[in-house]
Amino acid sequence: MASSPLLLASVLKPVDDTRMFEKFGRTLASRPDLAVHIAGRRAPYPRNAPSNLHTHELLDGSRLSWRRLAAQWRYWKLLRTLQPALVVVHAPELLPLTLLWQRFGRGRRFLYDVRENYALNILTQQVYPHLVRQVLAKLVRWAETKAARQAYKVILAERSYAEELPFALPERTVILENKYQPQPHEVAPQPKQRLPAPHEPLHLLYSGTISELNGVLEALEFTRQLRTIWPGAHLTIVGFCQQPALLARLQAAIANAPGSVTLIGGDRLVPHADIISAIRRAHVGLLPYRPHPSTWRCLPTKLFEYVAHGLPVIIPDNTLWINYLQNDGIAVVCRDFTSMEAVQDVAAALSKTRFYPHGIPADVLWQSEATKLWAIVDSLQ
């Protein structure tokens, strides 16, 4: 394995992606005899990257750009140039070329990292017209099913996928959740056990993908109503928005609420280190997700990030999340992020709760998943 490089690849995920780079990439590069290559969407070269971790640009453009076709050609050239000992595929659109590459060489192996239930997302999120959704979903499921038969292992980012995906056979499947991987030399945070008083500033945070499904509009409305009770409440939104119409709507709402909301990113990708800095500055993390089949059975990456930093979180009435955060004093449940009555209940809970009485739970950290990733890689030798 040491004589040949490892290749981790996606198209839409940036080269500094939290899962592909921070978790898989840094974990594998922790052994200096391994050369790790990451291919994805253009992004600044990550800070403090190991010397044996290299990045390659597959896409410089939007997800609806014709450049996505050129990304396939760049990926194929990387496969032929690097001759990797192992490929970790982080995007279903790279599966056909990966299967072709495997077919024309002996001993070529790959892992398929299932980050989303892609077919379900295509069918339910209404990004494409109805007929296009039907065709795309079938094509993706066909490619995934075929790839799952040829992959050395199928990796699932969510436990629920083991039940949802018919190609996820137990004997060939490993679950690696999106737990938090601390930055190099990161000092362990202290949990925020007590929040400021209602007459003091309160820093709220919404981070990650900016979308209606993930509740960015609910975060705005929640903040607006909370400020009638907690005048110093301020919302920071940090992340990337792929929908120009939503971004324009968001910017207009921020302009009409001077001093209450700050937007970082919006039309550009935000380095993960900057998101972590925002988490460290915040008092409370918001997760105002709307109930939806594509997300309701998943544990968001930001949930692990917030808890790993001892940040109190406000979550919707999601049974899975409530059960996961059964350690008292981590989360406050909000029945409706747009209801004044519900916001009042949340404000009262924030004022009187002593958060993280038992400290930060260890099971939100990536180390447990890194051990499982190494078990896969070492079994190849």
Side-chain angles (χ1 to χ4, degrees):
M1 181 71 72
S3 61
S4 300
L6 310 183
L7 175 61
L8 288 64
S10 180
V11 174
L12 294 181
K13 298 299 181 183
V15 293
D16 63 347
D17 173 65
T18 56
R19 184 171 175 89
M20 184 167 60
F21 180 92
E22 295 289 349
K23 295 167 187 172
F24 280 68
R26 284 193 185 276
T27 296
L28 297 173
S30 65
R31 294 183 182 175
D33 60 325
L34 290 179
V36 181
H37 294 257
I38 293 182
R41 196 172 183 174
R42 171 181 283 187
Y45 188 72
R47 308 167 195 166
N48 303 316
S51 60
N52 58 330
L53 203 162
H54 315 279
T55 60
H56 306 267
E57 178 187 309
L58 293 185
L59 177 66
D60 176 20
S62 71
R63 62 193 178 95
L64 300 178
S65 167
W66 286 104
R67 295 178 184 176
R68 286 181 74 168
L69 295 178
Q72 297 283 332
W73 172 242
R74 293 191 183 100
Y75 176 60
W76 181 250
K77 288 201 300 183
L78 268 180
L79 289 172
R80 293 175 59 85
T81 301
L82 294 177
Q83 293 295 313
L86 174 68
V87 177
V88 184
V89 183
H90 292 271
E93 66 187 282
L94 296 179
L95 290 174
L97 281 182
T98 305
L99 289 168
L100 186 65
W101 165 80
Q102 184 189 55
R103 181 176 181 180
F104 289 107
R106 297 183 60 184
R108 294 177 173 179
R109 291 173 289 193
F110 72 94
L111 309 175
Y112 176 38
D113 181 34
V114 185
R115 303 169 59 128
E116 302 176 27
N117 184 338
Y118 296 102
L120 177 65
N121 291 3
I122 291 169
L123 288 172
T124 61
Q125 291 185 1
Q126 301 183 357
V127 174
Y128 305 100
H130 176 73
L131 181 59
V132 175
R133 292 203 304 269
Q134 297 293 324
V135 173
L136 280 178
K138 289 180 180 178
L139 286 174
V140 167
R141 184 53 53 85
W142 173 83
E144 289 182 310
T145 301
K146 190 171 183 62
R149 299 193 190 108
Q150 301 299 322
Y152 183 73
K153 291 290 183 182
V154 174
I155 298 173
L156 307 179
E158 300 284 349
R159 294 183 180 276
S160 61
Y161 296 165
E163 301 173 4
E164 297 173 12
L165 302 175
F167 59 82
L169 303 179
E171 64 272 16
R172 300 177 62 84
T173 299
V174 178
I175 298 171
L176 299 183
E177 295 180 285
N178 278 314
K179 298 183 179 182
Y180 179 65
Q181 166 77 307
Q183 300 288 302
H185 313 299
E186 181 176 330
V187 178
Q190 294 297 316
K192 297 174 175 60
Q193 293 192 322
R194 294 289 185 186
L195 295 180
H199 64 275
E200 298 176 315
L202 180 72
H203 299 295
L204 308 174
L205 178 66
Y206 171 105
S207 65
T209 302
I210 299 173
S211 70
E212 291 186 68
L213 183 60
N214 289 2
V216 68
L217 299 180
E218 281 78 0
L220 285 174
E221 179 60 17
F222 177 88
T223 303
R224 186 188 71 80
Q225 299 206 43
L226 182 63
R227 282 171 63 87
T228 65
I229 307 166
W230 213 307
H234 182 277
L235 173 65
T236 296
I237 300 173
V238 53
F240 177 58
C241 181
Q242 299 190 75
Q243 301 168 294
L246 175 61
L247 180 58
R249 184 179 175 186
L250 179 62
Q251 291 169 331
I254 293 173
N256 291 327
S260 62
V261 184
T262 298
L263 174 63
I264 301 174
D267 60 351
R268 60 178 175 83
L269 294 169
V270 179
H272 189 238
D274 293 349
I275 292 178
I276 297 304
S277 294
I279 293 174
R280 286 181 169 271
R281 293 191 300 267
H283 292 127
V284 177
L286 299 183
L287 294 101
Y289 281 61
R290 296 178 179 178
H292 193 275
S294 65
T295 58
W296 209 238
R297 299 182 67 204
C298 301
L299 292 171
T301 299
K302 72 178 76 175
L303 180 62
F304 293 115
E305 292 176 344
Y306 292 170
V307 176
H309 286 87
L311 196 66
V313 295
I314 302 176
I315 61 174
D317 191 8
N318 180 311
T319 303
L320 172 65
W321 299 5
I322 294 170
N323 289 340
Y324 182 76
L325 299 174
Q326 56 187 322
N327 192 5
D328 293 338
I330 293 179
V332 172
V333 176
C334 183
R335 302 186 311 277
D336 183 350
F337 283 82
T338 64
S339 162
M340 187 63 202
E341 182 182 357
V343 173
Q344 289 173 336
D345 291 342
V346 170
L350 292 176
S351 298
K352 66 183 181 182
T353 301
R354 178 174 175 261
F355 293 96
Y356 292 90
H358 309 296
I360 298 172
D363 66 354
V364 299
L365 298 179
W366 171 254
Q367 183 55 49
S368 61
E369 313 307 286
T371 301
K372 291 187 283 185
L373 178 59
W374 276 124
I376 298 171
V377 174
D378 288 339
S379 70
L380 289 165
Q381 301 182 15

